[in-house]
Amino acid sequence: MHNIDDIKALFRAGRHAEALQACEQLCAAQPANTDLKRLCATMHGMTGRFDASARMLREVLEQAPDDMDALFNLAVCEREQRRFAEARTCYLRYTERLPKAWEGWLNLAECQVLLGEANAALTSVERAIQYNPKAAPAWMTKGDALAALGRHGEALKAYERANGLALSAGAFAKIGLTLSQLGRHPEALERLDQAVKMDPQLTAARAGRAKVLTQLGRAAQAVDDYTAILAVTPDDDETLKAASVCLAGLQRGEEAIALCDQALAANPDSLTAKLGKSWLIDKIVPNWHVPMMNEQARNNAYFEGMKTYVRPDTQVFEIGAGSGLLSMMAARLGARNVVTCEGAPLIARTAQQIVADNGFGDTVTVLAKPSFEVQLGSELPELADVLVHEIFSSGLIEEHVLPAMEDAKRRLLKPGAAIVPATASLMIALVGGEGFARYFHVKDPFGFDIRRFNAITPKKLPVFRADLHPELLSDDVEAFHFDFVNDDTYPAEQKVLEVSATAAGTCYGVIQWIRLNMDGTTVYENHPRDALPVSGWQHMFYRFDTPLELTPGQTLRLMAAHDRATPWFDLLAG
């Protein structure tokens, strides 16, 4: 059997498992030998086996209750296992027996901070400072306790005192974070820069600097710090969240998705990464894409419209590639060349793969950029004979369709080029019905008058449900008409519409839909009376402040406006 010297030699030689096994065996053979147990506890602790180390130290304390070194080391093991309450109990006992030992008070205070006991921590750390006023860690912990109490000005002084005693990256980081709390962001950034320079691996400094950079409007630099942290700890939840939000705000969502994938590779069960990736994909690829692609009425209308114009010598340009579906239709119809553009790179790459999967890779080119950036000659070989565009929202114009059309007509199309759709209209009608009453207006549920709540609900809402059964109380009204063939500019508009009721009923507002005329003959319309099995476009509802009881022939005056990006409809007084 090995002796103590043999065991120490094995451990020093890096043969840790053999040394620990031998020490455990020797402890079992000599249960009264506390020196062996202390050695075994030390080796377990040095190899990160804190639970085993704590077990040995408890055995020592059972035999030698006054062994304060064992008690202190037991507290250290408890802290390493994040059992702060158990560690606090050890330190309380330690400071009771050794009241002038400043390290005991300091460690007690640190545990109390971690347990949210800031006032008790402040009392304990004052004792540590009393016995060793030059202990920089004690001043740091005093700063932590004060910060936890919201006393940031005093905390700053404590951290600065600690840094004056012993310059450290940790102190610069705490000073920077506290200056940030006090709203002194430029000074905070300077201190955090110093912290990172001293210790580039100090996560708290990088995370704090990233937060300050974001507050100063320098999000791109903040991302560099977040990604540096995630390179070391890819599944750091808080950093992953902050980095994802930053990157999404910078329109760099794909990089954020890559960070989520990196986190999932490190921890496949990371809920933060799963939720973050789903959120990011939804921002890049809104969930209306799938129902839009599956809507047969829309697909048929576009196909028939393109069939009118596409010939074997046709150069087609499309705005809004999506999945590549419409471009492949043009290729199937025999177009010589099709160039399509898509502003979301992830969607564009996927579309190019889909095009290749379907055998049209030689005919269809997908550009990962918005149409405003497409260059004639290098990207679009020649002025297009046919323009196909499908960047319509449920409100028709909310995806920059008007400026995109102005730009394309000015730079990218031949004179007299065909455009599909040729025209588009915003359609409205007065609407009522019990479904709309229940879903968009509140009156007196359970016998209480809570109509006042209507004033704080949105006046413009999408109609996602198909079971509301709108009752149209007027004829269809073409509120705005956009002629993409004959007009070259599309200014903002505001007008008054007089709409007459064709039926009696309670009117809750205006329902809006879209109409697309593809080629002068083929028309697509998501009319409210037509229950489509699937559609990417919803009806929009504009709520009146107060429901109106209408009689046939009664005329309402509506304000209709758009600012080239968003339509609006409202009831005019009188």
Side-chain angles (χ1 to χ4, degrees):
M1 182 175 289
H2 295 283
N3 58 34
I4 285 182
D5 290 335
D6 292 336
I7 292 168
K8 289 180 179 178
L10 282 171
F11 195 84
R12 282 195 296 269
R15 296 161 64 181
H16 298 159
E18 291 178 65
L20 284 166
Q21 183 180 11
C23 198
E24 290 276 6
Q25 290 173 348
L26 206 54
C27 285
Q30 301 177 34
N33 190 333
T34 55
D35 287 338
L36 269 175
K37 291 179 179 178
R38 289 190 190 94
L39 175 61
C40 202
T42 300
M43 291 192 299
H44 278 305
M46 291 177 69
T47 54
R49 301 178 72 239
F50 297 107
D51 188 46
S53 181
R55 172 174 53 80
M56 282 293 181
L57 290 167
R58 290 191 195 96
E59 291 183 18
V60 171
L61 288 165
E62 286 176 7
Q63 296 171 256
D66 295 331
D67 187 334
M68 292 298 99
D69 286 341
L71 180 62
F72 192 94
N73 290 331
L74 174 59
V76 171
C77 289
E78 299 289 21
R79 283 186 67 174
E80 290 292 339
Q81 297 175 85
R82 305 191 65 79
R83 296 170 53 171
F84 302 119
E86 290 80 356
R88 175 189 57 191
T89 300
C90 293
Y91 288 127
L92 283 169
R93 182 179 162 193
Y94 184 88
T95 53
E96 183 180 316
R97 295 294 301 275
L98 298 174
K100 293 186 178 182
W102 71 273
E103 298 98 330
W105 290 110
L106 171 59
N107 282 274
L108 173 59
E110 289 172 348
C111 286
Q112 289 166 329
V113 168
L114 292 167
L115 289 166
E117 301 169 354
N119 282 307
L122 193 56
T123 300
S124 298
V125 78
E126 290 288 8
R127 294 290 295 275
I129 290 170
Q130 176 187 346
Y131 296 118
N132 188 356
K134 294 185 178 181
W139 287 99
M140 289 284 284
T141 301
K142 181 176 180 178
D144 292 342
L146 289 164
L149 292 168
R151 295 158 61 178
H152 299 294
E154 296 171 76
L156 179 61
K157 292 178 181 178
Y159 293 137
E160 288 174 335
R161 179 69 179 272
N163 212 29
L165 291 165
L167 284 176
S168 71
F172 275 121
K174 290 290 180 73
I175 291 168
L177 293 169
T178 306
L179 286 166
S180 177
Q181 285 284 346
L182 293 168
R184 295 160 61 180
H185 300 308
E187 295 172 76
L189 185 58
E190 181 183 341
R191 302 303 190 281
L192 290 162
D193 282 341
Q194 289 173 292
V196 174
K197 185 176 181 180
M198 290 181 73
D199 184 359
Q201 302 305 315
L202 185 59
T203 296
R206 282 196 177 274
R209 185 169 72 173
K211 184 177 180 181
V212 171
L213 285 166
T214 302
Q215 290 167 326
L216 291 171
R218 295 160 63 180
Q221 291 172 268
V223 166
D224 293 339
D225 275 326
Y226 288 136
T227 52
I229 295 169
L230 292 169
V232 179
T233 52
D235 58 343
D236 179 329
D237 285 350
E238 292 307 312
T239 301
L240 182 59
K241 288 179 188 176
S244 296
V245 170
C246 249
L247 285 165
L250 292 166
Q251 304 301 310
R252 292 162 57 185
E254 286 189 74
E255 294 175 58
I257 290 172
L259 291 177
C260 291
D261 286 337
Q262 177 180 286
L264 288 167
N267 177 11
D269 295 324
S270 171
L271 182 59
T272 297
K274 290 177 181 178
L275 292 173
K277 184 174 180 179
S278 177
W279 174 73
L280 289 160
I281 288 176
D282 187 59
K283 290 180 74 68
I284 298 170
V285 191
N287 57 15
W288 44 257
H289 278 85
V290 170
M292 176 187 69
M293 291 182 285
N294 283 328
E295 186 180 353
Q296 196 62 32
R298 164 194 173 272
N299 295 342
N300 286 340
Y302 268 95
F303 187 77
E304 292 300 319
M306 285 188 278
K307 188 190 293 184
T308 303
Y309 304 113
V310 174
R311 300 288 182 269
D313 61 346
T314 301
Q315 169 68 61
V316 175
F317 177 55
E318 182 199 12
I319 301 177
S323 65
L325 177 60
L326 300 185
S327 286
M328 289 189 293
M329 287 184 187
R332 178 178 287 175
L333 286 167
R336 171 171 49 85
N337 182 260
V338 182
V339 174
T340 180
C341 60
E342 170 58 56
L346 175 61
I347 298 177
R349 282 200 306 276
T350 304
Q352 190 67 72
Q353 292 165 351
I354 290 171
V355 166
D357 291 343
N358 285 273
F360 293 107
D362 293 336
T363 304
V364 178
T365 301
V366 183
L367 304 175
K369 57 177 56 181
S371 62
F372 303 99
E373 298 177 10
V374 172
Q375 298 301 309
L376 183 64
S378 58
E379 293 172 326
L380 180 62
E382 59 183 283
L383 293 172
D385 301 293
V386 176
L387 171 65
V388 179
H389 60 117
E390 209 289 55
I391 50 172
F392 299 114
S393 62
S394 294
L396 191 67
I397 59 174
E398 292 156 330
E399 293 185 25
H400 311 294
V401 61
L402 300 182
M405 291 301 300
E406 291 169 345
D407 174 70
K409 293 192 72 175
R410 185 174 63 253
R411 296 191 305 117
L412 305 174
L413 305 186
K414 289 179 180 176
I419 298 176
V420 180
T423 69
S425 300
L426 271 165
M427 307 296 297
I428 65 167
L430 303 177
V431 68
E434 285 302 311
F436 273 62
R438 289 191 299 270
Y439 206 70
F440 296 116
H441 181 76
V442 64
K443 186 178 179 183
D444 55 0
F446 220 75
F448 298 105
D449 183 353
I450 58 174
R451 287 173 293 179
R452 188 180 296 275
F453 198 86
N454 292 304
I456 61 170
T457 61
K459 294 197 68 172
K460 177 182 179 181
L461 291 160
V463 184
F464 288 118
R465 293 179 55 171
D467 60 348
L468 299 183
H469 306 298
E471 294 180 10
L472 302 188
L473 302 176
S474 73
D475 290 332
D476 303 347
V477 176
E478 185 178 48
F480 296 106
H481 178 79
F482 304 98
D483 187 335
F484 300 124
V485 174
N486 296 304
D487 295 335
D488 295 327
T489 60
Y490 310 95
E493 298 178 75
Q494 182 167 326
K495 63 179 74 170
V496 175
L497 301 175
E498 293 190 348
V499 183
S500 297
T502 56
T506 305
C507 180
Y508 293 95
V510 169
I511 191 168
Q512 173 254 300
W513 65 98
I514 67 175
R515 178 188 290 168
L516 307 177
N517 190 312
M518 299 297 176
D519 56 3
T521 303
T522 307
V523 175
Y524 169 89
E525 186 171 9
N526 63 332
H527 198 286
R529 68 168 174 264
D530 300 326
L532 296 172
V534 62
S535 178
W537 289 308
Q538 309 300 321
H539 302 130
M540 300 301 297
F541 174 67
Y542 293 80
R543 178 180 60 80
F544 291 165
D545 291 334
T546 304
L548 299 177
E549 294 299 327
L550 298 183
T551 57
Q554 183 177 347
T555 298
L556 300 184
R557 298 175 72 249
L558 303 178
M559 188 274 282
H562 74 81
D563 61 358
R564 291 170 44 87
T566 308
W568 188 258
F569 300 96
D570 206 354
L571 180 67
L572 292 174

